Amino acid sequence: MKPAPFKYIAASSLDHALALKAEHGDEARFLAGGQSLIPAMNFRLARPSVLIDINGLRELAGVEHSEGAEIRVGALTRYQSLERDSRFLRDCPLFADALPHIAHPQIRNRGTIGGNLSHADPASELPAIAVAMQARMRIKSARGKREVAASEFFQGLLTTDIQSDEMLLEIALPAPTARTGTCFMEVARRRGDFALAGVAAIVTVDDHGRCSQARLALCGVGDGPVDASDAASSLVGQQRSGEAIEAVAAEVQDMIEPSGNVHATPGYQRHIAGVLTERALGAAFERAHDAA
């Protein structure tokens, strides 16, 4: 298949890109890595009449660390750059776990974090990580800027809070906290395939090894990333306990509504989600103790 006819425009600046988006609205799409957009266009699942190429906007790429505050990741930052940034992976170890699961090296060389999050594929790893980490999504249009919590940014299957004239500009991640352990795990048919189910877990412990905060998010088992942090909150105040973690996993299995697909039934996805929840929380607890 070949894409439907479209007009190509290379944006010369961020203001130029936003002005074009304001002019063309939903008929225009931003082209960054293109690893999801171009295949969709080739199958004519997406038919934008205008492609706005933003690859030249280098100010949208890169990672900025603010001591004790936040980590800012530009939307045009490619997976490959994050994989090679040792400081970023040290401060955001969930990404260190998850990035190798994303597709294949050729795709990670081109794909961008902003494109991934804006595409909002429910089986993708990064939306679940953004929700688990309580990331803030910074969005801009010709009208101005705004900020949205990741939990509110993802609104359903391939749907986000980005409006027709807006662009995801950067992602703000909280700075790492002491005595915190994280873990991301997933099950896929083959390495690089979309996850049948995936779990991102964050556990912080106090001086006595008791859980003081727990965050949990899943991918692949709903219309978007599933925030299961309410279920994980039952761990607060407890030492690491197999029974307590099993109870969280059971609650997660009850709350999710996987749709199933040609590779897995809803029941199998629910089972896998429970198993991964137990393993990821257990590993996050262990890493939190090691970091204490």
Side-chain angles (χ1 to χ4, degrees):
M1 293 290 289
K2 298 296 181 183
F6 62 89
K7 182 178 182 180
Y8 170 87
I9 305 173
S12 58
S13 67
L14 177 58
D15 288 343
H16 182 211
L18 294 175
L20 289 168
K21 198 69 168 74
E23 177 184 353
H24 297 285
D26 287 331
E27 293 300 311
R29 296 287 298 272
F30 290 120
L31 175 64
Q35 303 304 293
S36 297
L37 176 60
I38 298 303
M41 290 175 62
N42 284 341
F43 283 107
R44 303 206 175 189
L45 299 173
R47 297 186 178 213
S49 59
V50 178
L51 272 190
I52 305 169
D53 190 339
I54 59 173
N55 279 283
L57 309 185
R58 296 187 178 181
E59 68 270 27
L60 299 184
V63 179
E64 292 184 15
H65 297 261
S66 300
E67 293 299 331
E70 64 184 16
I71 300 161
R72 300 165 57 187
V73 184
L76 208 60
T77 307
R78 304 191 192 278
Y79 306 130
Q80 174 212 57
S81 297
L82 297 178
E83 282 186 294
R84 296 179 178 180
D85 188 331
S86 58
R87 182 180 179 187
F88 175 76
L89 297 181
R90 183 183 69 245
D91 290 344
C92 300
L94 272 178
F95 281 84
D97 285 344
L99 285 169
H101 290 285
I102 298 175
H104 305 285
Q106 296 92 328
I107 289 175
R108 295 199 296 274
N109 285 343
R110 293 297 304 165
T112 64
I113 184 172
N116 179 296
L117 296 171
S118 299
H119 185 56
D121 193 303
S124 181
E125 297 84 358
L126 296 191
I129 287 175
V131 169
M133 293 185 68
Q134 296 179 293
R136 306 289 300 180
M137 323 300 275
R138 290 175 179 156
I139 299 167
K140 188 173 183 181
S141 70
R143 296 175 285 111
K145 295 181 181 180
R146 65 189 181 98
E147 185 173 291
V148 181
S151 58
E152 299 174 0
F153 179 77
F154 302 102
Q155 298 190 335
L157 181 65
L158 305 179
T159 305
T160 71
D161 189 47
I162 298 177
Q163 303 303 305
S164 62
D165 62 341
E166 292 181 323
M167 174 196 294
L168 176 60
L169 203 64
E170 68 178 19
I171 301 90
L173 302 167
T177 55
R179 297 186 297 275
T180 295
T182 69
C183 183
F184 178 86
M185 294 182 173
E186 72 173 43
V187 169
R189 287 183 66 242
R190 296 167 298 192
R191 189 171 187 83
D193 281 3
F194 280 117
L196 301 178
V199 175
I202 304 173
V203 174
T204 302
V205 298
D206 62 19
D207 291 336
H208 303 287
R210 294 186 296 259
C211 176
S212 59
Q213 184 182 36
R215 300 278 308 164
L216 190 68
L218 295 88
C219 63
V221 293
D223 289 340
V226 177
D227 189 349
S229 297
D230 285 347
S233 66
S234 64
L235 298 174
V236 174
Q238 300 192 54
Q239 298 277 355
R240 179 181 175 181
S241 159
E243 286 187 5
I245 292 175
E246 287 175 12
V248 174
E251 187 172 345
V252 166
Q253 288 176 316
D254 288 339
M255 69 177 286
I256 61 176
E257 297 181 359
S259 58
N261 53 51
V262 296
H263 304 304
T265 65
Y268 180 72
Q269 287 182 292
R270 184 173 285 108
H271 169 72
I272 289 298
V275 172
L276 291 177
T277 295
E278 285 190 48
R279 293 179 180 177
L281 283 172
F285 248 116
E286 189 172 319
R287 292 173 180 178
H289 283 291
D290 290 343

